[in-house]
Amino acid sequence: MTETRIEIEAVGSLTDIAPEDWDACACPEVEGGGRAFDPFTTYRFLHALEASGSVGAGTGWQPQYLVARADGQVIGVAPLYAKSHSQGEYIFDHNWAHAYERAGGRYYPKLQITVPFTPATGRKLMARPGFEVMARNALVEGAVRIAAQNHLSSLHVTFCTEDEAEAGEAMGLLHRKTQQFHWENNTYSDFDAFLAQLSSRKRKNIRKERSTAQAFGGDIVSLSGDAILPEHWDAFWAFYQDTGARKWGTPYLTRKFFDIAHETLLDDILLVLALRDGRPVAGALNFIGRETLYGRYWGTVEDHPCLHFELCYYQAIDYAIAHGMTRVEAGAQGEHKLARGYLPVVTHSLHWVADEGFRNAIEQYLRAEREAVGQDIEILTSYGPFRKTGSED
């Protein structure tokens, strides 16, 4: 039996890959109709990042997309980037970089398999159906080989699936566990059915927050598809710049990204706006997956109590329930989400480190970190807003 020969190539632009080949690996489920499970790894989303200049020269995110071929057919792809910093990743390795450089090493550039600026769990080692194991292994081996041949410090695969993390660990990569807060839909019929599962105090607090927010002096609207107009992006750009300047110093996405999104991503987007006298004063941008609603960005030009909670968390829950979605992922960090029904869950990443001594130190750190994350999740879950079993509250 002839062994299948797999070729791995890194290309500097998504335009070097046929969209249908990329999406056959990234979102094969759309062939039967419906949405992609993960809107962020689709060709259209990644191309919007590149075409808008949000990644590429001068950004510290240099595309090196991986393509695996067998007998000339694309069987696997991965969004790989050469990084000259650790910004926009949300799996923090700044301390690793500082330690390595203090010891005389050069941490940057490094390689990163992820979706830039997007802390959303999903497949990152993507395969055409029927080639899952073969393509995944080839992509990992190819990325490691590129890192080693170019004398780079490390390779990171962030916000991958648990299955990918376990497979990568079996191949010798380090497995890191971190946490986020997600809302899970327990087949609720409406928002009140969700509230009924909370303790009375938390239930009253959420109702009070919603009432306070909705009394801000205007209307709250949820828009998707053709209901989103170009002028909505003008308003949201102001929101995004304000939040970006306060959080990151410089916003990651360019203004052109939103123009391209208007042309190619409208059906993937849920835009929640607060309008006063018909003018947007705050907004939250979400992306729509087949089963998950992903909260991404929020901003405002006016200060109104509880409006952030309403637009980012409660409106997202409303939408997920109405559309039969299983969860809401509201982005990275934020223990304040716990009181609003978003519980801690494990997120996964993989890491290859060239220097053996440095790798051993990181491995020890990750072992302790995994234990701490597990304890944190257990404790935080116990403080969650849901009624305890057997409670009449």
Side-chain angles (χ1 to χ4, degrees), residues 97-159:
H98 294 157
Y100 194 56
E101 291 176 355
R102 282 198 302 270
R106 183 186 179 196
Y107 194 73
Y108 304 107
K110 62 177 183 176
L111 292 182
Q112 191 97 8
I113 294 178
T114 195
V115 177
F117 331 122
T118 308
T121 292
R123 291 188 310 133
K124 300 300 186 294
L125 306 166
M126 302 175 292
R128 189 183 293 268
F131 296 91
E132 287 84 357
V133 174
M134 182 188 301
R136 182 184 61 208
N137 292 350
L139 291 167
V140 170
E141 291 170 0
V144 168
R145 185 166 64 249
I146 291 171
Q149 289 175 347
N150 288 277
H151 307 290
L152 303 183
S153 70
S154 53
L155 161 73
H156 311 266
V157 186
T158 49
F159 293 102

Side-chain angles (χ1 to χ4, degrees), residues 89-93 96 107 110-114 118-122 124-125 140 155-170 172-180 345-353 362 365-366 369-370 373:
E89 296 173 10
Y90 304 97
I91 299 292
F92 301 114
D93 65 347
W96 300 2
Y107 194 73
K110 62 177 183 176
L111 292 182
Q112 191 97 8
I113 294 178
T114 195
T118 308
T121 292
K124 300 300 186 294
L125 306 166
V140 170
L155 161 73
H156 311 266
V157 186
T158 49
F159 293 102
C160 60
T161 66
E162 184 175 6
D163 286 346
E164 288 176 327
E166 291 174 352
E169 188 173 22
L173 277 65
L174 302 178
H175 181 188
R176 188 176 192 182
K177 293 184 178 181
T178 46
Q179 73 174 44
Q180 284 185 341
V345 299
V346 174
T347 53
H348 302 271
S349 60
L350 291 165
H351 308 270
W352 173 87
V353 179
I362 289 177
Y365 168 80
L366 293 182
E369 185 185 47
R370 284 194 296 269
V373 166

Side-chain angles (χ1 to χ4, degrees), residues 26-95:
C27 52
E29 64 275 4
V30 303
E31 186 174 339
R35 296 185 179 278
F37 283 111
D38 181 355
F40 303 114
T41 53
T42 59
Y43 187 98
R44 59 186 176 273
F45 184 87
L46 294 171
H47 183 262
L49 291 179
E50 182 183 329
S52 67
S54 300
V55 301
T59 68
W61 290 84
Q62 192 60 43
Q64 297 290 324
Y65 309 104
L66 276 188
V67 183
R69 292 184 175 87
D71 298 325
Q73 180 187 37
V74 174
I75 64 167
V77 296
L80 176 67
Y81 299 84
K83 292 294 308 296
S84 60
H85 54 64
S86 291
Q87 303 301 318
E89 296 173 10
Y90 304 97
I91 299 292
F92 301 114
D93 65 347
H94 299 87
N95 289 338

Side-chain angles (χ1 to χ4, degrees), residues 187-253:
T187 63
Y188 300 119
S189 57
D190 54 25
F191 196 90
D192 282 340
F194 156 61
L195 288 181
Q197 298 302 309
L198 307 185
S199 69
S200 61
R201 185 169 64 87
K202 298 298 186 182
R203 189 163 58 242
K204 291 175 183 176
N205 184 64
I206 289 176
R207 283 178 173 151
K208 181 179 179 180
E209 285 184 345
R210 296 207 77 176
S211 177
T212 299
Q214 291 170 3
F216 80 99
D219 301 309
I220 296 173
V221 297
S222 295
L223 307 172
S224 188
D226 292 339
I228 301 175
L229 304 177
E231 52 263 37
H232 292 142
W233 293 121
D234 293 333
F236 192 80
W237 174 245
F239 306 153
Y240 175 69
Q241 280 189 301
D242 177 69
T243 301
R246 285 185 285 106
K247 283 190 173 183
W248 318 301
T250 301
Y252 295 134
L253 300 175

